[in-house]
Amino acid sequence: MKTLTLDVEYDCDFDLFGLVSSSREHTLAWVLNRALHLRLVKQQDLIYDLLTKGRLVISNYLHATEHYTLRLLRNRSVDPSPLKKPFLAPDIKEYDYLLQVSAGMVSHSPEELLVQLSALPEVQLVSQVDPNDLKFKENLLF
């Protein structure tokens, strides 16, 4: 029998920032709300069932306007997981949080946002990541 495989290429049309922070997620969301004049609100956790391997439970905060959406995602599963790499984006596991900006922020360019995030004392390191270069970029599509 002939086996067919489906190869799908996703084009990610959002900006992605990796953040290293020892702060708890709700504290970081509060700091981002104050610094960037946002309203990040805790959403239902994202659950990825990986068949027989286990599951990932990812904490998710959302700020949505008519012009753009911004998500703060924890990169590591909040529940204990039997997976070797319990990360939303295992390619960039050195980051504790991911900040996803869809459709571009009207008030901030990616460079300005990078400067503002790096100025926060709760953020030890921040860098912009090209989501199209990630092996597991489909985990970031909602």
Side-chain angles (χ1 to χ4, degrees), residues 2-128:
K2 190 174 185 179
T3 304
L4 299 174
T5 59
L6 178 63
D7 291 327
V8 178
E9 280 297 315
Y10 297 105
D11 185 32
C12 300
D13 61 343
F14 54 84
D15 294 319
L16 186 66
F17 299 90
L19 288 85
V20 175
S21 176
S22 58
S23 298
R24 293 183 178 258
E25 60 198 40
H26 60 277
T27 304
L28 184 59
W30 181 81
V31 167
L32 292 174
N33 283 342
R34 294 190 47 111
L36 303 175
H37 307 289
L38 302 174
R39 190 166 189 286
L40 285 166
V41 177
K42 175 78 168 138
Q43 303 295 306
Q44 186 175 10
D45 290 340
L46 302 174
I47 299 174
Y48 293 91
D49 285 316
L50 304 174
L51 301 177
T52 59
K53 296 179 183 177
R55 74 185 216 168
L56 292 174
V57 179
I58 303 298
S59 183
N60 173 28
Y61 287 78
L62 176 68
H63 170 81
T65 68
E66 57 198 35
H67 302 291
Y68 68 93
T69 59
L70 188 138
R71 286 184 185 272
L72 176 65
L73 303 163
R74 186 169 174 182
N75 195 21
R76 188 176 189 81
S77 181
V78 293
D79 281 352
S81 175
L83 297 169
K84 286 183 182 178
K85 297 179 181 178
F87 297 98
L88 177 64
D91 315 37
I92 51 175
K93 63 183 177 185
E94 60 272 7
Y95 296 112
D96 300 313
Y97 298 95
L98 302 174
L99 191 67
Q100 181 187 47
V101 183
S102 300
M105 289 181 73
V106 175
S107 59
H108 303 289
S109 70
E111 295 80 19
E112 290 173 355
L113 187 57
L114 197 61
V115 169
Q116 287 183 318
L117 291 172
S118 62
L120 297 174
E122 289 79 11
V123 177
Q124 284 80 39
L125 175 70
V126 62
S127 64
Q128 189 169 6

